[in-house]
Amino acid sequence: MDEFEEKVICFPGVAIVDFYSDSCVPCKRMSPVLSALETKYESDIFVAKVNIAYEKELVNKFQVISTPTFLFFKNGEVIERFSGAKKKEELEQIIEANK
């Protein structure tokens, strides 16, 4: 939890938290999309992956009920939240609007 605070909540740009499970097919499809965003936006974004099987405290705190669930943070606040797979362009719109 301390690491989450340090890396996500205190990140100066847009932090994307991907709540996933190992058996989730849409989660696996989103992994290369997130990697491409990390490459494109470099230090403007931070992507954190949270395995719901091991991080129950975070799952409960953010009321994650399905995977994948994505939370976008800026200045320590959740600015966007959605569940399910999305297109790269949709994620880019969120990043561009908030960076």
Side-chain angles (χ1 to χ4, degrees), residues 13-14 41 45 72-74 79-80 89-99:
V14 175
Y41 290 99
I45 68 167
F72 287 69
F73 287 83
K74 185 167 184 181
I79 56 170
E80 186 79 34
E89 294 76 21
E90 293 174 281
L91 302 180
E92 287 175 328
Q93 288 176 347
I94 298 167
I95 294 166
E96 289 293 336
N98 292 288
K99 67 176 198 173

Side-chain angles (χ1 to χ4, degrees), residues 3-72:
E3 186 178 352
F4 185 86
E5 289 279 330
E6 177 186 323
K7 292 191 174 183
V8 174
I9 303 299
C10 296
F11 186 73
V14 175
I16 304 168
V17 181
D18 172 14
F19 287 89
Y20 75 99
S21 71
D22 291 329
S23 62
C24 169
V25 173
C27 298
K28 291 176 183 174
R29 282 199 312 251
M30 289 302 296
S31 191
V33 172
L34 293 172
S35 292
L37 292 173
E38 283 182 298
T39 300
K40 179 177 180 175
Y41 290 99
E42 296 179 343
S43 61
D44 290 336
I45 68 167
F46 175 74
V47 177
K49 296 183 72 61
V50 176
N51 188 323
I52 63 164
Y54 303 109
E55 299 292 342
K56 296 294 185 192
E57 188 177 345
L58 290 173
V59 168
N60 291 332
K61 178 177 181 175
F62 294 106
Q63 300 174 344
V64 174
I65 56 173
S66 64
T67 57
T69 293
F70 297 91
L71 277 69
F72 287 69

